[in-house]
Amino acid sequence: MAGLIKDITTHRDLLSMLVARNIKIRYKESALGFLWTLLGPVFLILIYAFFMKVVMKFPIPMPVLVSGIFVWQYLAMCLGDSSFAIIGNANLVKKACFPRLLLPLSIVLANFVNFLLSLLVMAVYLLIVGPHFGSIAWLPLALITHLALCTGVSLGLCAMNVFLRDVQHLTGIFTMAWFFLTPVVYALSDVAPFIQKYPLLGPLYFMNPMAGILALYRTALLGSPLPELSLISLSMLVSVIIFVAGLAIFQKLQPRFADEL
Amino acid sequence: MSTIAIQVEGVSKRFRLRSAGGNTLKSLVMDRFRSGADTSRELWALKDVSFTVEKGTTLGLIGANGAGKSTLLALLAGTMMPTEGHLKTHGTISSLLELGAGFHPDLTGRENVFLAGAIMGLTREQMNRRFDAIVEFADIGRFIDQPVKHYSSGMYVRLGFAVAVEVDPDVLLVDEVLAVGDASFQRKCLRRMAEFREQKKTMLIISHDLNTIQTVSDQILFLDHGRVLGHGAPSQVIGQYETFSRDQVSSDRRREWGTREVILTGAQFLNEAGQETTRVTWGEALTIRLHYDAKTPVGPSVFGYGISDEQGRLVHGNNTQIEAISIPSLSGRGTMVLTLPSLNLAKGTYLFSFSVHSADHQVNYHRLDHAFAIGVEATKSFEGLCYMPCEWKQEPSTAQP
């Protein structure tokens, strides 16, 4: 672990350049450029708002939907990009020697920069539509847990995809299922009655780290009631486990990357 | 302080080969069922390789494609791990394994230069100091702020080379740089590499251009199928390599057939001094002693020979019948002596074929096609495969003074 931190600090110039590269390349030669970071989620929100609220008459408040989509989008971007973190840089991996960890990490961080900007936009939106902010103190905890989860998942996926290209296809399907298991386009209060009825369902539901992370964001930004701390802690614990597991998988597989590419 | 820059001890590298389908769940599952076939899916790119490189010297790596040269450089650069053995390198390493390999097509030359520098472990400040020198060496002017996808392949390679050398490493690894770029850039590269040697830096070079590698290297390592076949002074190891590849060529093209009533048991190639050799010099006499064994006595026979180039194209052929040498019968062991008084072949490798057949061409007793490879050294560099004796004379000028 200490070695890893040293790797990252001695190569921080490289890391920041890779992050900048990832951000630049994503929007190269598109007229709207960086705006797409926001336009993607905005259109997603409009589509969901139309079908959920207008067609299906599902009473989801807009701020809940907006926060759900923006927060989810960060994980979704990492899931989509990370499969290619190593195989998309095969030339670099085969020809140059540097900590391979920087490749997935730079993707997670580039998406994190995008996410922070979209949080700013969301803050402006929330100020306009009016509901008072919640207990902002929960925000750092939400961000850190979210970052740890995205990092862990990305490290594991990019390493496994080098050896097994099925990973990138499975990820797509898995992302979809995860989306609906997470209270993105519905509020936690919509599942609360079920959790009360079947006490075991609560811990099971919060084993999905995104459930707890999203609850933290909504508590911080919308003032939604915070679920039981034991459930939140469970989500955080699972995030940490995923982070450690992802890192372990990556470190185990990375010596053989160049052989496989 | 140690004087050794690179130390390689008993290094082996194994690759696992995958089926053509690549890495998919299906192949993974199928491979589980097909256990036992495992060893055929392995490739030892390097096997028990050991050598050291002294600081300030240049080691040239030679060998056919697939010999393991590039794998060796990848191990030294640290992008791959050896399966067995140890490698030790002292000082910073810059690798030119593939020029501009890390460049991203959508980024500008400037952005790529800084990124490449960071990959090699330099800070932004260090790169700032070197930037002008890099642009100047690469000679790409205002293109430096264009995305590299708009570069010509020459510009791409020049920028890659410039970055790698200006990073100023202690050890420079160079893979086939000299094969790319135009002549003037190649001269520039060679000059830069000479400067590098003067600064007492260590280099490892891969090249198929034997002349160049002989001039720039202090030592040569000759690899074949992952094993070290030769290591030492350039001229000696390169000679060994040339002999080796000649034998490879002839064993690849060698064909043999016939009724075997008479068999050709061997051929000795003798130079002017009467010594057996596989390397002869243009213009000198070559004597070939062709041994045969007529197990079944046969009637009127003909011996023939052919000389082909490395691609198997016939350069010249002749036989005893054409030269009106009559051989009424053959029985038992014997030797035919063929003398070529002046070998008029251009520099290169040639394959000799021999045959013995009946005088009416109905029965082919034994034929050895492309069986013997002979290297020819030429002091005269004429055009084409063969030399024709010629005389040039200038007639006295008729113009009035």
Side-chain angles (χ1 to χ4, degrees):
Chain A
M1 196 65 199
L4 275 178
I5 292 166
K6 191 167 163 264
D7 269 356
I8 293 167
T9 48
T10 53
H11 290 83
R12 58 184 180 279
D13 271 349
L14 176 57
L15 183 60
S16 64
M17 275 187 223
L18 286 173
V19 170
R21 180 187 83 162
N22 289 338
I23 294 173
K24 263 182 214 159
I25 288 163
R26 187 187 291 270
Y27 302 110
K28 270 256 148 111
E29 296 184 16
S30 61
L32 295 178
F34 202 66
L35 270 182
W36 281 113
T37 308
L38 300 173
L39 288 177
V42 165
F43 280 110
L44 212 55
I45 287 161
L46 291 178
I47 290 164
Y48 272 104
F50 177 76
F51 282 101
M52 302 279 295
K53 292 177 76 93
V54 179
V55 179
M56 293 164 71
K57 311 274 187 235
F58 187 77
I60 180 168
M62 275 308 276
V64 171
L65 183 62
V66 170
S67 58
I69 296 278
F70 271 104
V71 168
W72 174 259
Q73 212 42 25
Y74 175 38
L75 177 70
M77 295 283 254
C78 289
L79 285 171
D81 294 347
S82 60
S83 291
F84 305 96
I86 301 297
I87 61 169
N89 287 298
N91 247 341
L92 269 187
V93 173
K94 278 194 290 190
K95 306 294 181 190
C97 185
F98 60 96
R100 276 82 179 88
L101 193 70
L102 299 182
L103 289 172
L105 207 55
S106 70
I107 284 179
V108 174
L109 290 179
N111 283 328
F112 192 63
V113 171
N114 284 346
F115 174 57
L116 289 181
L117 285 167
S118 66
L119 271 187
L120 273 181
V121 174
M122 190 160 67
V124 172
Y125 163 78
L126 290 175
L127 283 176
I128 293 167
V129 297
H132 51 88
F133 275 101
S135 11
I136 274 296
W138 291 109
L139 190 60
L141 192 60
L143 285 172
I144 290 169
T145 318
H146 202 185
L147 189 59
L149 174 68
C150 289
T151 308
V153 170
S154 299
L155 289 180
L157 285 180
C158 74
M160 289 191 291
N161 199 39
V162 173
F163 297 88
L164 207 60
R165 298 292 150 86
D166 301 70
V167 169
Q168 70 204 50
H169 304 292
L170 287 171
T171 306
I173 298 161
F174 178 72
T175 307
M176 189 116 78
W178 198 354
F179 177 79
F180 286 105
L181 282 174
T182 305
V184 180
V185 291
Y186 56 92
L188 208 49
S189 54
D190 295 320
V191 286
F194 300 101
I195 290 176
Q196 253 156 21
K197 205 163 153 197
Y198 307 101
L200 266 179
L201 204 62
L204 207 61
Y205 191 76
F206 277 88
M207 292 262 273
N208 168 12
M210 278 307 278
I213 289 170
L214 204 45
L216 280 175
Y217 276 113
R218 283 180 177 149
T219 303
L221 298 174
L222 311 178
S224 311
L226 190 69
E228 278 177 52
L229 272 181
S230 61
L231 294 179
I232 291 288
S233 318
L234 183 61
S235 283
M236 290 176 59
L237 180 68
V238 174
S239 298
V240 172
I241 290 172
I242 290 177
F243 174 75
V244 173
L247 188 59
I249 291 172
F250 188 88
Q251 289 299 87
K252 176 93 177 34
L253 296 179
Q254 65 104 352
R256 281 165 54 209
F257 282 172
D259 297 6
E260 292 291 328
L261 289 170
Chain B
M1 211 169 103
S2 135
T3 58
I4 287 168
I6 295 171
Q7 189 162 13
V8 175
E9 269 176 55
V11 163
S12 300
K13 177 68 186 174
R14 179 186 58 204
F15 287 106
R16 290 183 197 285
L17 303 177
R18 303 249 186 181
S19 49
N23 308 348
T24 65
L25 198 57
K26 189 179 139 220
S27 68
L28 193 80
V29 173
M30 297 306 280
D31 288 354
R32 287 274 178 278
F33 290 110
R34 263 192 244 124
S35 62
D38 242 355
T39 47
S40 65
R41 295 167 157 266
E42 290 182 349
L43 172 79
W44 288 89
L46 289 175
K47 194 77 186 143
D48 197 21
V49 172
S50 302
F51 64 90
T52 53
V53 181
E54 298 276 318
K55 261 182 195 154
T57 63
T58 299
L59 178 73
L61 292 175
I62 56 173
N65 291 329
K69 305 182 298 288
S70 297
T71 304
L72 184 55
L73 284 205
L75 290 175
L76 288 169
T79 61
M80 285 181 184
M81 300 289 146
T83 313
E84 290 165 7
H86 304 278
L87 296 117
K88 248 187 245 158
T89 51
H90 302 273
T92 56
I93 291 191
S94 169
S95 71
L96 279 180
L97 298 190
E98 200 175 275
L99 290 171
F103 287 177
H104 195 289
D106 282 324
L107 297 180
T108 66
R110 184 187 299 270
E111 287 164 339
N112 272 310
V113 165
F114 278 91
L115 189 60
I119 286 168
M120 294 191 218
L122 271 77
T123 64
R124 217 178 283 256
E125 273 162 66
Q126 289 171 312
M127 278 315 277
N128 268 328
R129 281 203 299 276
R130 292 168 163 85
F131 186 75
D132 290 337
I134 290 172
V135 177
E136 199 197 311
F137 186 88
D139 192 22
I140 56 175
R142 64 195 168 76
F143 269 94
I144 193 70
D145 286 313
Q146 291 286 316
V148 296
K149 65 180 168 192
H150 298 315
Y151 283 22
S152 69
S153 56
M155 289 159 71
Y156 202 90
V157 166
R158 290 206 300 272
L159 192 60
F161 187 86
V163 172
V165 293
E166 292 299 335
V167 159
D168 200 26
D170 298 322
V171 179
L172 183 66
L173 307 176
V174 188
D175 190 350
E176 274 301 345
V177 175
L178 307 163
V180 290
D182 55 20
S184 82
F185 181 67
Q186 283 187 16
R187 273 196 301 278
K188 210 161 155 183
C189 290
L190 287 173
R191 240 191 345 263
R192 194 71 181 76
M193 280 156 71
E195 279 171 39
F196 227 80
R197 292 181 72 185
E198 280 162 24
Q199 292 162 17
K200 288 289 162 206
K201 306 255 181 178
T202 312
M203 275 194 288
L204 246 82
I205 296 177
I206 294 180
S207 180
H208 288 287
D209 179 352
L210 295 179
N211 286 329
T212 309
I213 206 162
Q214 184 162 0
T215 48
V216 299
S217 303
D218 299 304
Q219 295 253 299
I220 300 265
L221 188 77
F222 162 29
L223 286 174
D224 185 68
H225 290 95
R227 290 169 197 274
V228 178
L229 293 194
H231 183 198
S235 58
Q236 177 216 328
V237 180
I238 284 176
Q240 188 192 348
Y241 172 64
E242 282 176 329
T243 310
F244 180 84
S245 34
R246 270 202 297 277
D247 293 346
Q248 288 293 111
V249 169
S250 76
S251 68
D252 287 350
R253 296 202 174 269
R254 188 189 168 103
R255 299 279 178 281
E256 182 178 356
W257 70 94
T259 58
R260 292 184 163 265
E261 280 140 308
V262 184
I263 54 172
L264 299 168
T265 53
Q268 287 173 289
F269 291 78
L270 308 174
N271 62 15
E272 277 191 345
Q275 292 155 330
E276 211 170 326
T277 182
T278 56
R279 247 175 142 170
V280 292
T281 308
W282 168 83
E284 288 188 1
L286 174 65
T287 304
I288 301 165
R289 292 172 60 80
L290 184 63
H291 305 296
Y292 64 84
D293 185 358
K295 304 210 158 168
T296 318
V298 292
S301 303
V302 177
F303 285 90
Y305 76 99
I307 303 173
S308 311
D309 68 4
E310 271 183 286
Q311 281 74 44
R313 283 178 302 210
L314 188 66
V315 177
H316 169 73
N318 200 347
N319 66 26
T320 49
Q321 202 167 38
I322 296 168
E323 294 295 325
I325 308 289
S326 144
I327 301 168
S329 65
L330 287 173
S331 65
R333 291 166 187 271
T335 301
M336 287 295 291
V337 179
L338 168 67
T339 303
L340 305 169
S342 164
L343 197 67
N344 282 330
L345 293 168
K347 179 179 163 67
T349 296
Y350 296 89
L351 302 171
F352 279 70
S353 308
F354 297 100
S355 70
V356 53
H357 54 81
S358 63
D360 56 6
H361 293 259
Q362 293 301 306
V363 189
N364 179 19
Y365 301 131
H366 196 194
R367 189 166 169 144
L368 286 173
D369 258 17
H370 307 141
F372 305 92
I374 296 295
V376 176
E377 296 290 322
T379 42
K380 229 186 242 240
S381 56
F382 48 86
E383 300 277 320
L385 285 175
C386 314
Y387 180 77
M388 293 225 208
C390 60
E391 278 175 42
W392 288 91
K393 208 184 273 171
Q394 187 178 21
E395 290 196 343
S397 174
T398 53
Q400 296 299 316

PDB file of all heavy atoms in Angstrom, chain B residues 99 111 175 180 236 275 334 370 374:
ATOM      1  N   LEU B  99       9.038   3.756 -31.773  1.00  0.00           N
ATOM      2  CA  LEU B  99       9.070   5.207 -31.698  1.00  0.00           C
ATOM      3  C   LEU B  99       7.678   5.797 -31.647  1.00  0.00           C
ATOM      4  O   LEU B  99       6.829   5.494 -32.461  1.00  0.00           O
ATOM      5  CB  LEU B  99       9.825   5.754 -32.898  1.00  0.00           C
ATOM      6  CG  LEU B  99      11.308   5.450 -32.820  1.00  0.00           C
ATOM      7  CD1 LEU B  99      11.989   5.814 -34.100  1.00  0.00           C
ATOM      8  CD2 LEU B  99      11.921   6.162 -31.653  1.00  0.00           C
ATOM      9  N   GLU B 111       1.654  18.277 -26.619  1.00  0.00           N
ATOM     10  CA  GLU B 111       1.027  17.529 -25.518  1.00  0.00           C
ATOM     11  C   GLU B 111       1.622  16.128 -25.392  1.00  0.00           C
ATOM     12  O   GLU B 111       1.888  15.643 -24.294  1.00  0.00           O
ATOM     13  CB  GLU B 111      -0.488  17.443 -25.739  1.00  0.00           C
ATOM     14  CG  GLU B 111      -1.208  18.754 -25.502  1.00  0.00           C
ATOM     15  CD  GLU B 111      -2.621  18.781 -26.083  1.00  0.00           C
ATOM     16  OE1 GLU B 111      -2.935  17.983 -26.987  1.00  0.00           O
ATOM     17  OE2 GLU B 111      -3.410  19.615 -25.629  1.00  0.00           O
ATOM     18  N   ASP B 175      15.076  -0.233 -30.617  1.00  0.00           N
ATOM     19  CA  ASP B 175      14.591  -1.367 -31.412  1.00  0.00           C
ATOM     20  C   ASP B 175      14.327  -0.939 -32.848  1.00  0.00           C
ATOM     21  O   ASP B 175      13.338  -0.263 -33.103  1.00  0.00           O
ATOM     22  CB  ASP B 175      13.322  -1.938 -30.770  1.00  0.00           C
ATOM     23  CG  ASP B 175      12.895  -3.261 -31.407  1.00  0.00           C
ATOM     24  OD1 ASP B 175      13.477  -3.621 -32.455  1.00  0.00           O
ATOM     25  OD2 ASP B 175      12.002  -3.913 -30.876  1.00  0.00           O
ATOM     26  N   VAL B 180      13.625   2.899 -40.097  1.00  0.00           N
ATOM     27  CA  VAL B 180      12.634   3.897 -40.491  1.00  0.00           C
ATOM     28  C   VAL B 180      13.293   5.248 -40.735  1.00  0.00           C
ATOM     29  O   VAL B 180      14.431   5.459 -40.352  1.00  0.00           O
ATOM     30  CB  VAL B 180      11.537   4.043 -39.417  1.00  0.00           C
ATOM     31  CG1 VAL B 180      10.683   2.809 -39.380  1.00  0.00           C
ATOM     32  CG2 VAL B 180      12.140   4.332 -38.066  1.00  0.00           C
ATOM     33  N   GLN B 236      33.242 -11.165 -35.286  1.00  0.00           N
ATOM     34  CA  GLN B 236      33.216 -12.615 -35.082  1.00  0.00           C
ATOM     35  C   GLN B 236      31.776 -13.126 -34.989  1.00  0.00           C
ATOM     36  O   GLN B 236      31.390 -14.087 -35.653  1.00  0.00           O
ATOM     37  CB  GLN B 236      34.001 -12.941 -33.810  1.00  0.00           C
ATOM     38  CG  GLN B 236      33.986 -14.404 -33.439  1.00  0.00           C
ATOM     39  CD  GLN B 236      33.950 -14.571 -31.927  1.00  0.00           C
ATOM     40  OE1 GLN B 236      34.486 -13.757 -31.184  1.00  0.00           O
ATOM     41  NE2 GLN B 236      33.295 -15.630 -31.482  1.00  0.00           N
ATOM     42  N   GLN B 275      41.684 -25.123 -48.649  1.00  0.00           N
ATOM     43  CA  GLN B 275      41.027 -25.343 -47.357  1.00  0.00           C
ATOM     44  C   GLN B 275      39.529 -25.441 -47.555  1.00  0.00           C
ATOM     45  O   GLN B 275      38.950 -24.738 -48.380  1.00  0.00           O
ATOM     46  CB  GLN B 275      41.314 -24.169 -46.409  1.00  0.00           C
ATOM     47  CG  GLN B 275      42.756 -24.093 -45.990  1.00  0.00           C
ATOM     48  CD  GLN B 275      43.131 -22.672 -45.609  1.00  0.00           C
ATOM     49  OE1 GLN B 275      42.570 -21.706 -46.146  1.00  0.00           O
ATOM     50  NE2 GLN B 275      44.080 -22.551 -44.698  1.00  0.00           N
ATOM     51  N   GLY B 334      33.271 -42.974 -55.492  1.00  0.00           N
ATOM     52  CA  GLY B 334      34.175 -42.173 -56.289  1.00  0.00           C
ATOM     53  C   GLY B 334      33.961 -40.689 -56.035  1.00  0.00           C
ATOM     54  O   GLY B 334      33.096 -40.312 -55.239  1.00  0.00           O
ATOM     55  N   HIS B 370      19.461 -27.258 -53.778  1.00  0.00           N
ATOM     56  CA  HIS B 370      19.689 -26.190 -52.777  1.00  0.00           C
ATOM     57  C   HIS B 370      20.267 -26.758 -51.490  1.00  0.00           C
ATOM     58  O   HIS B 370      19.879 -26.375 -50.416  1.00  0.00           O
ATOM     59  CB  HIS B 370      18.382 -25.454 -52.472  1.00  0.00           C
ATOM     60  CG  HIS B 370      17.703 -24.939 -53.698  1.00  0.00           C
ATOM     61  ND1 HIS B 370      16.349 -24.978 -53.858  1.00  0.00           N
ATOM     62  CD2 HIS B 370      18.210 -24.386 -54.826  1.00  0.00           C
ATOM     63  CE1 HIS B 370      16.034 -24.460 -55.040  1.00  0.00           C
ATOM     64  NE2 HIS B 370      17.144 -24.091 -55.638  1.00  0.00           N
ATOM     65  N   ILE B 374      26.633 -21.270 -49.757  1.00  0.00           N
ATOM     66  CA  ILE B 374      27.981 -20.713 -49.783  1.00  0.00           C
ATOM     67  C   ILE B 374      27.867 -19.191 -49.794  1.00  0.00           C
ATOM     68  O   ILE B 374      27.080 -18.620 -50.553  1.00  0.00           O
ATOM     69  CB  ILE B 374      28.730 -21.186 -51.063  1.00  0.00           C
ATOM     70  CG1 ILE B 374      28.916 -22.699 -51.031  1.00  0.00           C
ATOM     71  CG2 ILE B 374      30.076 -20.470 -51.224  1.00  0.00           C
ATOM     72  CD1 ILE B 374      29.814 -23.210 -49.921  1.00  0.00           C
TER      73      ILE B 374
END
